Amino acid sequence: MFEGKLVRLRALRAEDAEHHVRWRNDPEVVRWAAAGDPGFGPVTAEAVGLGFETMLRLSPRESAVFTVEDLAGGTVIGMADYRDLDPYAGVATLGVTIGEREFWGRGHGRDAVRLLVDHLFGAYPLSRLELDTWSGNERAVRAFTGLGFREEGRRRSAVLVAGERYDRVLFRMLRDEWTARS
């Protein structure tokens, strides 16, 4: 378990599936978290349950999913994850979703990413962390750049949201950049 200023990251539990079902069936969460990707939602409870069986057995040497809780009230508000951890290449990809709308824009996602970056650079011999979002998700862009992630590139017109095209924005953080900020 990792605690920040606003959130706690803890191990995923089977009972967290109910939150994931709710978030992945909320059109606004799907829009902001996954640019409306129908692979993210809507989904059935059975499909989430199957995915949870896999997530609960992930090897932390490769990937992990954490539950994000609000520190003030202990409410489950989202998830944070890392995947494709490759200690040989020194790289991992991470992500965060705050599924409870009342916590949007209040710094909880940023705090969760900060905790995850601290954990990954502290626990593994990584030199680089990566994440991405779509150009219309300005809250995520502000959170990532505010933490010191740098835009590394764009896949132009790669995302379709509500009939409009957006760029996929790629970000990276190098270990020495993170260390210099800490």
Side-chain angles (χ1 to χ4, degrees):
M1 182 178 339
F2 315 109
E3 287 194 5
K5 296 175 182 171
L6 298 171
V7 302
R8 168 186 308 113
L9 299 185
R10 65 155 171 84
L12 189 69
R13 300 178 191 145
E15 59 267 21
D16 294 329
E18 67 183 75
H19 303 290
H20 287 243
V21 170
R22 188 175 65 257
W23 301 330
R24 291 179 64 180
N25 285 291
D26 180 329
E28 282 300 299
V29 174
V30 172
R31 173 185 169 87
W32 296 110
D37 181 353
F40 188 80
V43 295
T44 64
E46 293 78 14
V48 169
L50 288 172
F52 254 65
E53 288 178 22
T54 300
M55 288 190 290
L56 290 168
R57 289 191 304 256
L58 291 173
S59 166
R61 293 181 186 266
E62 299 169 359
S63 57
V65 179
F66 297 95
T67 295
V68 179
E69 292 179 339
D70 173 50
L71 265 184
T75 305
V76 172
I77 64 169
M79 60 169 282
D81 73 288
Y82 66 87
R83 57 202 172 275
D84 305 323
L85 190 146
D86 182 342
Y88 180 75
V91 65
T93 302
L94 56 99
V96 64
T97 298
I98 301 301
E100 298 300 330
R101 293 184 193 191
E102 63 268 26
F103 292 91
W104 289 358
R106 295 176 42 197
H108 292 74
R110 180 180 171 154
D111 198 34
V113 171
R114 185 185 58 74
L115 287 170
L116 196 52
V117 170
D118 274 344
H119 168 64
L120 290 168
F121 280 144
Y124 299 99
L126 302 175
S127 61
R128 171 190 180 86
L129 296 174
E130 302 173 345
L131 51 75
D132 67 67
T133 190
W134 55 289
S135 58
N137 191 344
E138 294 171 4
R139 274 194 317 261
V141 170
R142 279 193 309 272
F144 302 156
T145 56
L147 285 166
F149 277 85
R150 294 188 184 171
E151 183 178 324
E152 191 159 76
R154 288 178 178 249
R155 292 186 181 128
R156 293 177 48 216
S157 196
V159 177
L160 181 64
V161 179
E164 289 188 49
R165 287 272 169 201
Y166 295 86
D167 295 345
R168 170 79 48 209
V169 187
L170 311 170
F171 292 92
R172 64 100 174 101
M173 170 71 67
L174 300 179
R175 177 184 291 274
D176 62 344
E177 294 167 343
W178 187 252
T179 303
R181 292 180 63 87
S182 300

